[in-house]
Amino acid sequence: MATVNIQNIQKNYGAVKVIHGIDIDIADGEFVALVGPSGCGKSTLLRMIAGLEEVTGGAIRIGPREVSHLPARDRDIAMVFQNYALYPHMTVADNMGFALKLKKADPAEIRTKVQRAAGILGLEKLLDRYPRQLSGGQRQRVAMGRAIVRDPQVFLFDEPLSNLDAKLRVQMRGEIKTMHQRIGTTTIYVTHDQVEAMTMADKIVVLHDGHIEQIGAPLELYDRPSNLFVAGFIGSPAMNFIDGRIEEGAFRTKKGLILPLPQGVAAAGGRDLVYGVRPEHIRAATHGIEGRATLVEGTGSEIYAKLDARGEEIACLFRERLDVRFGDTVSIDIDPARIHLFDKQTGLRL
Amino acid sequence: MASVSIDNPIDETTERRSKPARLAPNYWPFVMPALLVVSAVIVFPWLFTLWMSVNSWTLGQPRTFIGFANYLRLAQDMRFWESLWHTTTYTVLSVVLPLFFGTLAALVFDAKFPLRGFLRGIFVMPMMATPVAVALVWTMMFHPQLGVLNYLLSLVGIGPQEWIYNQTAVIPSLVLVETWQWTPLVMLIVLGGLAAVPREPYESAEIDGATAWQKFRYLTVPMIAPFLMIAVIIRSIDAIKSFDIIYAMTQGGPGTASETINIYLYNTAFAYYDIGYGSAMAVVFFLIIIALSFVLLMVRARANWSDMEER
Ligand SMILES: Nc1ncnc2c1ncn2[C@@H]1O[C@H](COP(=O)(O)OP(=O)(O)OP(=O)(O)O)[C@@H](O)[C@H]1O
Ligand SMILES: [Mg+2]
């Protein structure tokens, strides 16, 4: 186990800048999720930490050691790949024990460690199988087993669950989290699924185009997103953004829709702003802002609706059963304490 | 579809039942030509060879049935046992050496470097030459006085060798030619194997702490093993049957030092016209090849990691 310290890391592919100077500090035993849209550089960053990709600039420290230019095999990290990258010609047991075998560990010791990892992951019955004889979820667990057996300083995961179906994904999410709680190894976990990040991580790093948008605990990102990108990325369904200005103590859109504000923000008057409110923070009310339903989707536990309120589209998530149909007029109420205001120009939170 | 069968259920069932019966008599005319050709060109020659091998029949003299006498004679024929030994050494060396150098070349040509395509093209050229032309060129190169090989050796201070004109050097010399010609084939097969090897396990191995050698030893070799096996099979069958290069260069000489079963068989049947004895030899040789193929196929099934479930 170790801390991981990333300082001003950069990566260029030829003239293309992919990572533009990133700093992350990871405490010993922390579970950090790297999230961001496709192509933002998550895998690249992770592969640089692993040593599979050269760094263009900056420094990576694992524990007290500077490892930026060490080959992967000297970094004492374990990695689970998106496509698992198992050894196709080895059995499950050999796959898991390979790293130890390379270190010339005693065969009996390898067997014990593999058995223990297999026990944690429920793979005992599959030890003699070959990867091609396993299901996706089983392969995924073998890939994890290969990492656990190593007992490394740091675990790196690159979207390990993206190939699994929704149910298995939820189950494996729980298993990874449980495993982390049991073993306590520092973990860096790449995902583009923000639900995974929110549920598993101690700390989330939001990446966008090779920059860090925000680093923080899951609820911190949810409650106080520091800019429009994070606000739109974290939370599902996504936050509503409504353009307008503050006039006479209220938020007013161009088309004249008036939205409630918390106390003490009048100072921000006079410039273009974006009003953000999460769909789940909108409640149905007997009177309030009125909108016509343009989309209604019920899942049983909740109702997702899009309303047209004076030309502004507002998505709402109602937890109670409402009898809403397409074209109905609905009155809603927004909790002013839970809204977010951003500067339209800079995208930053006010 | 559904409505048709409901409208006319009886018709359909009768038709379905009678179909095979109606087809059966029509089968044979289609199968007959193939059957005839196969019998004429494969089955008949074999039966004829078997028949000749139990007869004493020298061309121009009357034929007499002698049972297994030819086979008994074979068992006591020192020249036959010697030719069997020659065949074995020749085959083993002609498999192992091209396999080694071909794999090495494949690893070299699998890496990226300038002019790779061009050099690879040059490298595979020996494979395309006809054996007799190859034999001619090498015979000249092997010439003790005029050959370029002895000249090259003299440059590095090694005295002249007798190559194919020496009893002990002749088989290694022939193997040298065989290796020169067939290393490219092995290289092509192994290159195909290397291209089919997945790249991701190498990154895993890197993370797992493997050195370059360990990656080669524990990933590359087992993953290209099925392709190596294919190369071994092709090479073994080719080498054991090898005739043209040996005959064109040495005719089995000097003396009988490079006489393989194939050459001895040829000499018996077509130089001494002892057809019956030659046939017996052909039958035994054929059995040896069958046995070899069987062993190779068994080994191959074991080397196949991509088809594990069959085990
Ligand atoms: N070898 C390369 N040469 C040039 N550009 C590359 C190379 N590898 C990656 N990139 C670019 O770097 C950027 C980041 O890629 P990366 O694989 O890190 O994205 P990612 O965040 O992991 O995306 P995803 O969620 O789709 O996996 C992309 O824009 C990609 O096109
Ligand atoms: Mg990626």
Side-chain angles (χ1 to χ4, degrees), chain B residues 123-200:
Chain B
F123 191 83
V124 297
M125 291 219 321
M127 206 176 92
M128 302 179 207
T130 64
V132 176
V134 169
L136 219 65
V137 171
W138 278 90
T139 309
M140 288 193 283
M141 299 211 297
F142 280 140
H143 194 284
Q145 282 87 47
L146 312 173
V148 69
L149 288 182
N150 275 348
Y151 171 71
L152 290 177
L153 286 187
S154 75
L155 289 184
V156 292
I158 298 176
Q161 307 294 313
E162 289 179 313
W163 304 105
I164 52 172
Y165 304 99
N166 178 297
Q167 299 253 355
T168 48
V170 62
I171 285 187
S173 299
L174 289 170
V175 168
L176 178 65
V177 180
E178 186 93 6
T179 304
W180 175 82
Q181 189 169 23
W182 294 115
T183 292
L185 176 73
V186 176
M187 181 198 78
L188 290 181
I189 294 172
V190 177
L191 262 184
L194 286 172
V197 162
R199 293 286 141 190
E200 298 86 24

Side-chain angles (χ1 to χ4, degrees), chain A residues 47 50 52 72-73 77-79 81 83-90 98-99 101-102 104 130 132-133 146 150, chain B residues 198 200-212 214-215 218-220 222-223 305-309 311:
Chain A
R47 290 168 59 83
L52 296 173
R73 66 167 179 277
I77 39 115
M79 182 158 171
F81 294 84
N83 50 21
Y84 317 137
L86 299 179
Y87 307 117
H89 58 291
M90 296 184 199
F98 188 59
K101 179 175 166 185
L102 292 176
K104 310 250 183 322
Y130 287 88
R132 62 191 309 276
Q133 301 167 317
R146 201 163 57 174
R150 295 267 312 278
Chain B
E200 298 86 24
Y202 287 87
E203 295 198 330
S204 307
E206 183 112 344
I207 301 253
D208 272 347
T211 59
Q214 286 171 322
K215 278 188 262 181
Y218 293 114
L219 296 190
T220 308
M223 285 200 279
W305 55 266
S306 58
D307 242 343
M308 291 296 183
E309 65 208 336
R311 277 217 258 156

Side-chain angles (χ1 to χ4, degrees), chain A residues 26 30-36 42 46 49 80 140 144 154-162 164 169 172-174 176-177 180 186-205:
Chain A
I26 298 169
E30 206 166 20
F31 193 119
V32 173
L34 291 179
V35 298
K42 306 181 295 287
L46 198 71
I49 299 171
V80 177
Q140 203 278 332
M144 291 215 323
V154 183
F155 278 137
L156 305 177
F157 291 90
D158 191 357
E159 307 203 19
L161 306 186
S162 59
L164 306 183
R169 192 147 56 203
M172 289 308 301
R173 197 162 82 196
I176 293 177
K177 188 68 196 159
H180 177 254
T186 312
T187 301
I188 306 177
Y189 187 100
V190 164
T191 175
H192 61 247
D193 179 349
Q194 46 112 358
V195 178
E196 260 171 43
M198 296 292 286
T199 51
M200 299 167 83
D202 301 319
K203 184 155 94 184
I204 297 180
V205 178

